[in-house]
Amino acid sequence: GPAYLIAENVLNYGSINAPGGDVKLAAGQQVVLSQRPDGRGFSMQVNLPEGSVDNYGHITADAGTIAMNARTVNQDGFVQANSVRNVNGVIELVASDQLNLGANSQMSASGDASAVGSAGGNVTLQSGNTFSDNVGSQIDVTGGSQGGNGGNVEISASVLGDIHSQLNGSAQAGFAGGSMLLDPVNLTLNSSSLTPYSGF
């Protein structure tokens, strides 16, 4: 089921595990929870994001959704929402001001080892102002080891500098690699972050 951490400031140094469920970390003046129409738990809407959400621990929600929403989001831990068969995982980090990925940040929304194939999931990173990341940060949306297309990564912010994270959206032979959306386009892409992979 769902796990929610909602406060003026949220700091996670521990382990949160919600298989098939949702994990939401939020800081804001108003948070609205409602039943999701797809029957997969609850949805969350944050109005006037404030404070910060800082993750230095482990969060897993395979076949579910992991979301962080605040004025400032600092991700420097392990976040995993891998697909389970045909149910894709989703990771969403949304900051109204600053979104930062530390050198220890690892995010995975990859496919699993299902014999019929398993596509990678979706990672969305959005900032209303600045986005920054550090060498060592990793984002993995690979297709499953037995087949399945690569997933999707979106990085969008008003101010984007160099992208330092390693991005992997590769897929097994016969399947399509993942897609990456960078917005806005006036940024510098560090080529070393992409050369090891063929997924994007």
Side-chain angles (χ1 to χ4, degrees):
Y4 296 98
L5 280 69
I6 302 170
E8 181 178 356
N9 296 290
V10 178
L11 289 84
N12 175 49
Y13 290 91
S15 179
I16 303 171
N17 187 21
D22 299 327
V23 178
K24 308 287 178 76
L25 284 65
Q29 291 186 11
Q30 183 179 18
V31 178
V32 179
L33 298 177
S34 63
Q35 189 72 36
R36 280 173 39 166
D38 61 8
R40 291 181 63 190
F42 291 89
S43 63
M44 178 181 70
Q45 177 181 348
V46 180
N47 297 324
L48 299 176
E50 295 289 346
S52 66
V53 168
D54 303 283
N55 178 54
Y56 301 99
H58 284 65
I59 303 175
T60 58
D62 291 342
T65 299
I66 298 173
M68 303 180 199
N69 193 309
R71 181 175 181 179
T72 300
V73 175
N74 297 307
Q75 155 57 18
D76 200 24
F78 179 83
V79 176
Q80 176 180 297
N82 288 343
S83 301
V84 177
R85 295 187 181 177
N86 62 344
V87 181
N88 295 348
V90 175
I91 298 172
E92 296 178 345
L93 277 57
V94 179
S96 64
D97 187 26
Q98 297 181 10
L99 173 55
N100 308 302
L101 304 183
N104 297 313
S105 174
Q106 296 183 41
M107 289 183 281
S108 175
S110 62
D112 68 6
S114 298
V116 296
S118 177
N122 299 289
V123 174
T124 301
L125 308 174
Q126 296 178 340
S127 174
N129 189 13
T130 62
F131 169 86
S132 67
D133 61 351
N134 290 276
V135 174
S137 170
Q138 299 180 11
I139 302 172
D140 183 357
V141 291
T142 55
S145 60
Q146 302 300 313
N149 297 332
N152 306 294
V153 175
E154 174 188 341
I155 302 175
S156 59
S158 297
V159 180
L160 280 172
D162 291 358
I163 303 296
H164 301 286
S165 298
Q166 279 193 332
L167 307 172
N168 190 348
S170 60
Q172 297 294 322
F175 294 88
S179 65
M180 179 172 62
L181 171 64
L182 299 176
D183 182 28
V185 296
N186 58 338
L187 59 88
T188 302
L189 183 63
N190 185 340
S191 61
S192 64
S193 67
L194 293 180
T195 50
Y197 308 114
S198 60
F200 294 108

